[in-house]
Amino acid sequence: MNRILLLALAPLAIPAPVAAQAMDQSNMPGMQMPAPKKPAAKPTMRKPPTQRPRPAVPRASASTPARPAVAKPAPAVAGGADPHADHDMTTMPGMAMPGAPAAVSAGKHDMATMPGMEMGPGTADHGTGGTALAPGNAPAPAPPTDHYADRAFPAAEMARVRTDLYREHGGGSFHQVMFNLAEYQARKGGDGFRWDGEAWLGGDINRLVVKSEGEGAFKGGGVDSAEVQALYSRAIDPYWNLQAGVRYDFKPNPSRTYATIGIEGLAPNWFEIEGALFLSDKGDVLARAEGYYDQRITQRLILQPRVELNFAAQDVPENRIGSGLSNAELGLRLRYEIRREFAPYIGVSYDRKVGDTARYARLDGKNVGTTSFVIGLRSWF
């Protein structure tokens, strides 16, 4: 009898150590566990009760309503509805979310309504606002025409201030005087001099430009050639100016007056280019092309190659000019910018008369080609 009693109590004694080692998670937030049930009383060896007959269950009839059938949820289909749509997390014990919005309580996944998930304009609704604009070639929106400062200050006073601002940032008048070349030329047969400069007054678009250049010799020759130009300059784009005006030659005699049209500007790769056509009061047509490039060796030391070409459409015997390419000047000058507006230089210059112009020079007993070592000053103010 004792052996039978021990065998009956053995299954109840085995789970006790395991239950003692389980972690107590009832104190964790959101993990309220239902109250544990009291262990069942130890069974006692009693005689089985006498079975009593079960009462008969009446069948459903027309007068007795039938028990409603409980519908089983349909299994989730891959790629179909959201499998979490019917999961109401708030009804689970210990999973209540304080302050949760209605959309979350209803089981819907609306990220924009969750606390701390505020989204900027144009992100919650990708069809309106923000940077999610529809692709296409639609024109840009018009700039605003109102000025916010006019809401706090008199409109007339603000209009005057804006006018001053425009003038100070590109709408004003400026001026500059520059000598590109002002040099002494040491050469065989007599030293000489040369100048090439310009001055302008105006704004970014419209300017009045005065140019002058010439050369001569110190011994007996005096000024061999001298000219001055008065031009109206108009900017046709950020890098090029169109110029028109008059040119007057003081030397050589007889003097000439020319109508002038030209262009100057900055070509790609930082080449300074000038070109002009001249029509004299006698019907003579001349042309000139100049170009130079500043190659920076250091921030202050600059090497400048330079070329100037002069052309004539016909012979002008009284001025000793022949048709075609009349003369060419090639130069190479190295300058040092003590300041940007004050830069002494040294270099070499080669001047060559060509074609009929060279023939006129030989008839007059002059050199056709001359090489000069130069020293000069490039300055502006």
Side-chain angles (χ1 to χ4, degrees), residues 37-170:
K37 297 181 180 180
K38 295 181 179 180
K42 296 180 180 181
T44 57
M45 301 300 294
R46 296 181 180 179
K47 296 180 180 181
T50 305
Q51 295 185 0
R52 301 176 182 177
R54 295 182 179 180
V57 178
R59 296 183 179 181
S61 60
S63 59
T64 305
R67 181 180 297 179
V70 179
K72 297 183 179 180
V77 181
D82 186 2
H84 301 287
D86 297 329
H87 294 188
D88 189 357
M89 305 296 290
T90 60
T91 60
M92 296 180 63
M95 295 299 289
M97 302 174 66
V104 178
S105 300
K108 299 180 180 179
H109 295 216
D110 188 357
M111 303 298 291
T113 60
M114 294 181 64
M117 295 296 291
E118 291 82 4
M119 298 184 180
T123 55
D125 185 2
H126 295 279
T128 59
T131 58
L133 300 178
N137 298 322
T145 56
D146 60 333
H147 300 280
Y148 188 82
D150 293 351
R151 304 178 185 180
F153 302 96
E157 183 67 15
M158 293 307 302
R160 183 189 65 80
V161 172
R162 282 190 293 271
T163 302
D164 294 342
L165 183 65
Y166 296 153
R167 184 175 64 253
E168 293 171 357
H169 290 78

Side-chain angles (χ1 to χ4, degrees), residues 141-218:
T145 56
D146 60 333
H147 300 280
Y148 188 82
D150 293 351
R151 304 178 185 180
F153 302 96
E157 183 67 15
M158 293 307 302
R160 183 189 65 80
V161 172
R162 282 190 293 271
T163 302
D164 294 342
L165 183 65
Y166 296 153
R167 184 175 64 253
E168 293 171 357
H169 290 78
S173 296
F174 309 93
H175 68 276
Q176 184 183 51
V177 178
M178 172 177 284
F179 286 95
N180 291 315
L181 301 176
E183 62 191 27
Y184 174 85
Q185 297 182 334
R187 61 196 179 202
K188 185 178 179 180
D191 297 343
F193 57 89
R194 184 182 179 187
W195 78 87
D196 183 348
E198 68 177 59
W200 59 264
L201 172 66
D204 297 329
I205 306 299
N206 302 301
R207 295 179 181 177
L208 172 64
V209 180
V210 178
K211 297 182 179 182
S212 179
E213 67 175 86
E215 60 183 356
F218 286 106

Side-chain angles (χ1 to χ4, degrees), residues 31-366:
M31 296 297 294
Q32 289 79 9
M33 306 295 292
K37 297 181 180 180
K38 295 181 179 180
K42 296 180 180 181
T44 57
M45 301 300 294
R46 296 181 180 179
K47 296 180 180 181
T50 305
Q51 295 185 0
R52 301 176 182 177
R54 295 182 179 180
V57 178
R59 296 183 179 181
S61 60
S63 59
T64 305
R67 181 180 297 179
V70 179
K72 297 183 179 180
V77 181
D82 186 2
H84 301 287
D86 297 329
H87 294 188
D88 189 357
M89 305 296 290
T90 60
T91 60
M92 296 180 63
M95 295 299 289
M97 302 174 66
V104 178
S105 300
K108 299 180 180 179
H109 295 216
D110 188 357
M111 303 298 291
T113 60
M114 294 181 64
M117 295 296 291
E118 291 82 4
M119 298 184 180
T123 55
D125 185 2
H126 295 279
T128 59
T131 58
L133 300 178
N137 298 322
T145 56
D146 60 333
H147 300 280
Y148 188 82
D150 293 351
R151 304 178 185 180
F153 302 96
E157 183 67 15
M158 293 307 302
R160 183 189 65 80
V161 172
R162 282 190 293 271
T163 302
D164 294 342
L165 183 65
Y166 296 153
R167 184 175 64 253
E168 293 171 357
H169 290 78
S173 296
F174 309 93
H175 68 276
Q176 184 183 51
V177 178
M178 172 177 284
F179 286 95
N180 291 315
L181 301 176
E183 62 191 27
Y184 174 85
Q185 297 182 334
R187 61 196 179 202
K188 185 178 179 180
D191 297 343
F193 57 89
R194 184 182 179 187
W195 78 87
D196 183 348
E198 68 177 59
W200 59 264
L201 172 66
D204 297 329
I205 306 299
N206 302 301
R207 295 179 181 177
L208 172 64
V209 180
V210 178
K211 297 182 179 182
S212 179
E213 67 175 86
E215 60 183 356
F218 286 106
K219 291 184 179 180
V223 178
D224 295 331
S225 65
E227 69 178 54
V228 62
Q229 301 179 39
L231 307 171
Y232 164 71
S233 179
R234 171 79 178 185
I236 56 178
D237 77 357
Y239 300 101
W240 294 95
N241 297 323
L242 184 65
Q243 299 177 339
V246 295
R247 163 186 165 184
Y248 181 76
D249 287 1
F250 297 95
K251 292 283 187 173
N253 289 321
S255 60
R256 288 284 190 269
T257 301
Y258 299 85
T260 304
I261 184 171
I263 189 171
E264 70 174 11
L266 187 65
N269 298 317
W270 303 95
F271 285 91
E272 296 280 352
I273 303 295
E274 296 184 26
L277 289 173
F278 309 99
L279 176 63
S280 75
D281 53 355
K282 302 298 182 180
D284 304 326
V285 178
L286 307 179
R288 177 181 299 156
E290 298 179 59
Y292 59 89
Y293 177 77
D294 285 348
Q295 176 61 57
R296 291 191 173 271
I297 300 174
T298 68
Q299 290 297 322
R300 294 182 180 271
L301 194 62
I302 297 97
L303 183 66
Q304 183 191 82
R306 182 185 182 94
V307 60
E308 178 179 329
L309 306 174
N310 288 281
F311 304 86
Q314 66 287 311
D315 290 339
V316 187
E318 58 272 26
N319 289 339
R320 318 309 283 172
I321 297 175
S323 60
L325 177 61
S326 58
N327 77 292
E329 190 268 331
L330 304 176
L332 186 65
R333 295 169 174 83
L334 179 67
R335 72 175 184 266
Y336 182 79
E337 293 183 343
I338 300 175
R339 298 180 62 183
R340 292 293 303 276
E341 59 268 30
F342 188 85
Y345 65 85
I346 59 174
V348 62
S349 175
Y350 177 74
D351 193 337
R352 170 76 183 187
K353 295 178 176 63
V354 183
D356 290 339
T357 305
R359 179 172 59 86
Y360 288 133
R362 294 188 185 98
L363 292 176
D364 297 338
K366 296 182 178 180

